[in-house]
Amino acid sequence: MQKSITSFFKPKDESQNSKYAEDARKKETKSASIEEKPKVPTPVKTIKEEGDENALPTVDSEEKMELEAPSPVKVRKMELNSGLPENEASEAYDPSVETYHPINDAYWKAQRTTPYLALARTFQVIEETKGRLKMIDTLSNFFCSVMLVSPEDLLPCVYLSINQLAPAYEGLELGVAETTLMKAICKATGRNLAHIKSQTQLTGDLGIVAEQSRVSQRMMFRPKPLNVRGVFAKLKEIANISGQAKITLVYDVFVACRHAEARFFIRSLIGKLRIGIAEQSLLTALAIALVKRNHINDCKAHKVCDIYKDEIADTTLILKTTYSQCPNYDIVIPALLKYDIKELQDRCPMHPGMPLRPMLAQPTKGVSEVLERFSGMQITCEWKYDGERAQIHLNKDGEISIFSRNSENNTPKYPDLIARSKSLVKGNVETYILDSEIVAWDIERKQILPFQILTTRKRKNVDIADIKVQVCVYIFDLLYFNGVSLVTKPLSERRKILMEHFQEVEGEWQFATALDTTDMDEVQQFLEESIKGNCEGLMVKTLDEEATYEIAKRSRNWLKLKKDYLSNVGDSLDLVVIGGYKGKGRRTGIYGGFLLACYDTENEEYQSICKIGTGFTDEDLRQHSEFLSAHVISSAKSYFRYDPSLEPDAWFEPVQVWEVKCADLSLSPIHRAAIGAVDPERGISLRFPRFIRIRDDKSPENATDANQVSLMYNSQDQVKNNQKSSDQMDMESDFY
Ligand code: ATP
């Protein structure tokens, strides 16, 4: 990976940060002369610039003047931190205050190394914050300080903020067992294991217990304060090591933890930071930090969010688009620091070996809805295969990788596909990214087998000789070919290139069966044929107009038409199990019912949507109870939204997604799904929910989104009819 990273960045004489600092100086000089302001030196720049790795950790004279120039910000800073010994300044660090100044308030500016405590304090403040905007703003203040004061730390700060050590697809996970951590805490604090265990039971948070236990810690001498870079490196070491050595490494860092550091260090190791910052919020915070950095000389740095709304929106869009085509902070963060934001997308291109988040489809309830949406457009209908989504990459070294819908690396699961990959291509094919569905295949009958058969295939250490379930790959898109991204080209063109350079091999590689038509009778007939062919229905896609491949987006240009479209709801929902109710009668001793939630991506919370007790076999219930018992937590997460009347017998970590069907969706006084979207006080709930299957290929954050729930609610016939009749009444009352 590292090899390909370097090739993306052409060497430049000056870093973007220096350029930005230079621009800031010029701009400031100009505006000072126009406004006839007194000449105050205004050399805002990152304190550490490229090329001065070996420079002493001091602030240059220009910077000193800037830092010492009297300003309202400076005055507040004096009140907040000035004169405090380093230790106290770090404890008082608070990037949420309204007048926060990214340089003046960065108490580590002289060292140019971000203290871990500054990051921990930021997390602590965010954890105590209620509103999402404020949380993002606080994080952006901290990031802005790091960009300006200690830019080399931005990458580890970003990773630590989302509790990752590397790009998600590399699968490097922390998730250290709680008992291992407890042992390290006991060793460091002298407390006994039983006490730590009982406190953790009580508070439901080993991080807090660790922080509180530190009070009792006895030490011969005080270890050196931790910094972000050091902690990040240690976490990587911990992830890669096992056994007693792991405990020793945890212990080494833990004994050096001060204040909230212990809480967040332990939470990082558990794998749950509990600050409610996920990818989208993090990217927004980074974008705001960039804009704050650009306007640091404004003196109103703290008002940036109000004054530069458009610039923030543009920067956020570029950053999010870039990250979706290049989901790797090892590439994006250095480029962000070095180049102008407008160059970012070109500097961080997609490339084979790095999974893209897939384009997703909107549900529909019938052919008439398809007609309504695509009227006058060229469309294609493809069979919708029921298997496992697979993004297949060939990189320039000839290596094939296969990624799941969740961007997990599934390559080890399919050695048979790798072995036969040469038969797929024709002519000169060097690199590609294909989008496809892998289905289980009956070799003798030459037909598709149900999804359930595919799930019986081994996931890891698969030996070709032992494979019992054969698979066929149905290819439906080409996103990248021979060094060129095709995502901005229309589907008709992508498909042409696909057909030209790839070939079908019966039962191994096939193109998705497709029909290009605008005749709705033909669509209907094709839908019926797809069902006879053991498919779930159709995917209807635009061919020419609005037909680009929209990475990571649930697009209106792909509609899914499932066989049970006649039902009122049109699609199943994928929901997260957050609570369990003890069973009665035959279900005594296991959970007999569950509390399910959808995920609200905007607020990053799980919102209760229904209780469920139907659709399970006895064996299902036994297995669910066994699995979920290992994920019981002592109280609801701060990011669960539910009515107290729904309090289950046990709360669960949000770890599993279930596919659920229902009769319809209705407004509910107790459930909180999509609250505020349709009704200001009521959420949406499912009527007669029925369990269908576990969705292993979806992470809880990929569960049905609150926004989708409200769309599904609104598209129900009776809701539409009610809306029509109330519109009608409005018109009538206007008329009279
Ligand atoms: P979603 O992916 O929309 O969140 P989901 O994972 O539950 O929902 P479905 O609703 O069943 O999946 O439909 C979309 C999925 O259908 C795709 O992610 C892909 O795996 C599969 N699929 C099968 N055939 C095709 C096709 N021809 N074009 C696109 N996707 C297809």
Side-chain angles (χ1 to χ4, degrees), residues 324-495:
S324 69
Q325 75 179 21
C326 176
N328 184 336
Y329 290 116
D330 293 330
I331 298 172
V332 174
I333 297 296
L336 185 98
L337 289 169
K338 194 165 184 180
Y339 303 112
D340 190 282
I341 184 76
K342 292 194 188 81
E343 288 181 51
L344 196 64
Q345 251 176 288
D346 293 338
R347 296 286 178 182
C348 308
M350 70 167 72
H351 65 104
M354 184 168 63
L356 304 166
R357 296 248 297 284
M359 178 166 174
L360 301 172
Q362 299 266 10
T364 46
K365 288 187 298 160
V367 174
S368 58
E369 216 177 315
V370 172
L371 181 64
E372 222 173 273
R373 160 74 189 107
F374 291 143
S375 154
M377 297 168 97
Q378 290 304 311
I379 54 170
T380 186
C381 302
E382 290 171 357
W383 283 16
K384 183 178 185 311
Y385 299 91
D386 193 9
E388 179 172 32
R389 192 152 183 176
Q391 211 176 74
I392 307 177
H393 295 228
L394 170 71
N395 74 10
K396 54 183 184 312
D397 298 327
E399 291 157 357
I400 302 257
S401 333
I402 302 173
F403 296 102
S404 74
R405 182 192 182 284
N406 263 347
S407 301
E408 276 153 19
N409 195 341
N410 259 349
T411 317
K413 191 174 166 186
Y414 293 108
D416 42 345
L417 294 185
I418 315 282
R420 60 162 103 131
S421 60
K422 290 232 162 34
S423 65
L424 168 66
V425 296
K426 45 182 183 184
N428 176 28
V429 176
E430 287 162 9
T431 50
Y432 60 71
I433 302 179
L434 291 163
D435 204 351
S436 68
E437 188 86 354
I438 298 177
V439 295
W441 181 256
D442 184 333
I443 303 184
E444 269 146 37
R445 295 203 186 121
K446 295 192 171 34
Q447 66 182 33
I448 293 169
L449 291 167
F451 170 78
Q452 283 69 17
I453 308 277
L454 186 68
T455 59
T456 60
R457 229 181 118 115
K458 250 177 94 181
R459 282 167 179 272
K460 285 181 188 153
N461 307 323
V462 180
D463 193 330
I464 299 188
D466 299 337
I467 292 175
K468 298 209 172 56
V469 176
Q470 299 303 323
V471 292
C472 176
V473 181
Y474 282 89
I475 303 162
F476 52 79
D477 220 321
L478 177 63
L479 317 184
Y480 185 95
F481 184 69
N482 282 357
V484 181
S485 161
L486 303 180
V487 291
T488 53
K489 298 203 182 303
L491 176 57
S492 54
E493 266 184 58
R494 302 200 301 272
R495 200 193 248 180

Side-chain angles (χ1 to χ4, degrees), residues 358-363 381-390 405 435-439 474-477 512-513 535-541 554 558 560 562 571-574 659 693 695 697-698 702-704 708:
M359 178 166 174
L360 301 172
Q362 299 266 10
C381 302
E382 290 171 357
W383 283 16
K384 183 178 185 311
Y385 299 91
D386 193 9
E388 179 172 32
R389 192 152 183 176
R405 182 192 182 284
D435 204 351
S436 68
E437 188 86 354
I438 298 177
V439 295
Y474 282 89
I475 303 162
F476 52 79
D477 220 321
T513 307
C535 283
E536 272 190 301
L538 298 180
M539 296 291 282
V540 189
K541 305 175 179 177
R554 188 171 295 284
W558 280 18
K560 48 188 174 187
K562 291 194 182 175
D571 201 4
S572 53
L573 292 94
D574 299 316
E659 182 176 352
R693 67 181 186 201
R695 290 290 310 251
D697 58 334
K698 281 199 171 181
N702 278 318
T704 300
Q708 284 170 263

